[in-house]
Amino acid sequence: MDGVKSSNYYFMLIQPNTLFLGRQFIHLNTVDNTMNHASALVAKSKPADGALVLADFQEAGRGQTGNSWTSEAAKNLTFSVVLFPSFLRVNEQFYLNMAVSLAVRAVAETLTGKTALVKWPNDILLGKKKVAGILITNTLRGGHLRTSIVGVGLNVNQVAFPPELKNATSLRNVAGKEFDRKSTLEVLCEKLEQYYLLLRSGKKALLKEEYLNCLYGWRRKLKFYRPDGTGFEAEITGVDESGLLCLNSGPAFRRYNFKEIIFDLG
Amino acid sequence: MTFKEIQELIKLVNKTNLSEFKLEQGDFKLSMRTAAYTEAKTQKLQAIPSVVPMTAPAAAPAPATSPAPAAQPAEEKPAAKAEAEPAEDKYVPIKSPMVGTFYRASSPDKPPYVEIGTHVKKGDVVCIIEAMKLFNEIESEVSGTIVKVMVDNETPVEYDQVLFLVDPD
């Protein structure tokens, strides 16, 4: 096995078939969370574009502000990638979200052989269960993005989930077999780079088309909840330039912000 | 909005004693200032005992069909600028570069990035604007001291909305 054993701990070495993504690779045993580690890296040194920080255990894994992300040690892949998308204007940042979501979705589908979809804005579903989450933090400069730290948490080999995560699943639970984390991470690097390069070459329409095609509930009647608990049926008709979810509930057509709407995954 | 509708609106605004009118519908923004606006402004300036050479009021009563009859030169810079300015003008605003939700800290259990009195350097993160689960760290473009926080935590902000006032070094 190509890895390094250090003080009774096995460190992975990855060799993704990429130009830059994951070529600089930092594997940590335990860290508060990889987002913090990656932003500290940006602040203190000059990491390469595509530098990847992987942690086997995050003491304070981050979901969206306030939500914590729990993951069993060394079962899954929790990592952050440093990117410098200075070609993107501030109001184009949802395209980065589309590119990353599509990459992780593609990996989930390829490895399990089952249809994977994106639940707006960026959860990855296998069936109706969440297999991966994405968190993106940007710094801005002069109307453009300066750095983006893309955090991905993919459930790989975890079998049991705490009751509060009843909607969680893993590649293993869906495919019925164990996955090699190293090669899974390499495939992730390759897909992330592939979609990021599409974005960098300006293929925004293509990304949006594929994003809609892979969007859970697109052009289908779905049940939604408002934050006050009231439910309604609507069809997702699209996503606007800023990423707002466009819903047609029959009498009304409206755009929704994240946190204005909750999906009913049944 | 059609050209005709804009015309109607201008007529309507002219009939009122409004000094300023702003309308926003999605990406469409319209703002009008009437003669009353200039009057109000000059009155305020004249209250200060100083000789303010009036820039010729460009408010020639335009025909109502003109697309912008009430349009005034936006900047009427009087000579007695320094005296007329309120003290806040020496403060530099930090504005929101985007529409989103304003967060003062990186997570609810963390202290705010800045408080009133915090000294920031150019490039220091002062807040986060979140939109569609994308988190944007907003950096200060000046070095100075935060003198005012203009927005409440976890509330929506508009593009170009002032978030903080900084007393520059």
Side-chain angles (χ1 to χ4, degrees):
Chain A
M1 264 183 130
D2 42 355
V4 182
K5 212 164 184 272
S6 158
S7 50
N8 291 325
Y9 194 76
Y10 171 76
F11 285 98
M12 206 190 274
L13 289 178
I14 59 166
Q15 291 160 309
N17 185 16
T18 56
L19 296 169
F20 60 92
L21 211 143
R23 304 296 289 206
Q24 186 181 343
F25 177 63
I26 298 161
H27 184 185
L28 305 165
N29 177 352
T30 304
V31 72
D32 54 346
N33 68 60
T34 58
M35 297 301 276
N36 286 354
H37 193 90
S39 46
L41 211 61
V42 172
K44 284 184 213 136
S45 57
K46 178 96 181 68
D49 203 0
L52 194 153
V53 179
L54 174 79
D56 285 340
F57 185 71
Q58 298 190 104
E59 287 162 344
R62 257 184 77 190
Q64 26 176 303
T65 318
N67 293 7
S68 60
W69 172 274
T70 35
S71 177
E72 275 181 31
K75 288 272 175 81
N76 303 322
L77 288 168
T78 48
F79 60 95
S80 296
V81 180
V82 178
L83 294 167
F84 298 99
S86 54
F87 56 89
L88 272 184
R89 287 195 293 270
V90 172
N91 58 5
E92 293 173 322
Q93 58 181 281
F94 198 73
Y95 285 98
L96 177 64
N97 177 61
M98 292 192 209
V100 173
S101 303
L102 287 172
V104 180
R105 186 214 72 86
V107 172
E109 183 163 293
T110 309
L111 293 181
T112 59
K114 301 274 195 278
T115 304
L117 293 173
V118 180
K119 191 189 97 187
W120 178 85
N122 55 17
D123 284 343
I124 310 303
L125 302 180
L126 280 167
K128 286 189 173 185
K129 291 191 167 182
K130 177 169 167 178
V131 71
I134 291 159
L135 182 70
I136 300 179
T137 300
N138 303 316
T139 59
L140 312 176
R141 181 150 297 173
H144 284 73
L145 270 62
R146 184 168 61 93
T147 57
S148 286
I149 297 169
V150 173
V152 177
L154 173 67
N155 294 333
V156 182
N157 291 323
Q158 186 164 347
V159 176
F161 292 90
E164 66 270 21
L165 297 177
K166 64 178 171 58
N167 275 329
T169 191
S170 63
L171 298 180
R172 179 175 173 171
N173 279 1
V174 170
K177 61 171 184 181
E178 190 138 343
F179 288 88
D180 176 41
R181 287 166 76 233
K182 173 179 172 290
S183 57
T184 304
L185 184 57
E186 286 168 347
V187 179
L188 273 164
C189 288
E190 287 153 21
K191 278 288 166 198
L192 281 166
E193 181 174 284
Q194 183 188 323
Y195 279 95
Y196 185 70
L197 288 176
L198 270 181
L199 178 65
R200 201 161 78 179
S201 60
K203 302 281 190 299
K204 293 197 306 191
L206 195 76
L207 284 169
K208 187 161 180 183
E209 193 189 338
E210 189 177 335
Y211 182 81
L212 288 177
N213 275 316
C214 297
L215 198 58
Y216 173 77
W218 188 47
R219 289 183 173 164
R220 273 186 26 229
K221 268 249 182 291
L222 276 189
K223 181 134 191 226
F224 294 95
Y225 291 102
R226 298 186 188 90
D228 65 9
T230 55
F232 65 103
E233 280 206 333
E235 185 186 298
I236 299 177
T237 56
V239 171
D240 82 355
E241 285 298 292
S242 59
L244 294 171
L245 187 70
C246 307
L247 292 188
N248 180 4
S249 64
F253 177 87
R254 228 204 97 176
R255 298 179 208 197
Y256 287 83
N257 208 326
F258 184 61
K259 287 192 176 162
E260 282 184 327
I261 191 118
I262 301 151
F263 283 72
D264 180 8
L265 291 177
Chain B
M1 197 166 234
T2 65
F3 181 67
K4 198 162 178 344
E5 283 172 319
I6 294 173
Q7 275 186 336
E8 289 294 315
L9 207 58
I10 289 166
K11 278 184 203 164
L12 206 68
V13 171
N14 264 342
K15 274 184 204 157
T16 67
N17 59 355
L18 286 175
S19 59
E20 198 175 10
F21 176 84
K22 285 184 181 172
L23 174 76
E24 278 192 48
Q25 285 181 318
D27 291 340
F28 177 83
K29 287 184 189 175
L30 176 80
S31 75
M32 290 185 221
R33 284 174 181 181
T34 66
Y37 181 86
T38 337
E39 275 164 31
K41 218 178 174 185
T42 47
Q43 269 167 19
K44 213 159 118 195
L45 289 173
Q46 276 159 356
I48 300 156
S50 66
V51 268
V52 181
M54 282 302 302
T55 34
T65 44
S66 152
Q72 291 296 318
E75 296 292 314
E76 298 236 337
K77 284 276 155 75
K81 187 167 174 273
E83 287 163 310
E85 269 177 6
E88 287 202 352
D89 279 20
K90 73 179 168 106
Y91 299 144
V92 179
I94 299 175
K95 294 180 178 178
S96 177
M98 55 186 286
V99 175
T101 307
F102 173 80
Y103 288 98
R104 290 191 57 192
S106 61
S107 65
D109 55 330
K110 293 271 166 64
Y113 287 107
V114 294
E115 302 272 15
I116 291 170
T118 305
H119 186 266
V120 292
K121 296 188 300 294
K122 188 180 173 195
D124 283 355
V125 176
V126 291
C127 66
I128 282 178
I129 308 283
E130 174 267 335
M132 259 59 70
K133 230 171 127 184
L134 292 144
F135 294 83
N136 293 272
E137 293 181 347
I138 309 302
E139 299 177 352
S140 176
E141 286 177 12
V142 288
S143 295
T145 307
I146 303 285
V147 291
K148 199 163 184 184
V149 184
M150 306 292 285
V151 185
D152 289 336
N153 192 33
E154 291 187 46
T155 55
V157 290
E158 291 296 323
Y159 173 75
D160 235 18
Q161 185 171 342
V162 177
L163 308 171
F164 299 95
L165 290 179
V166 181
D167 186 4
D169 289 349

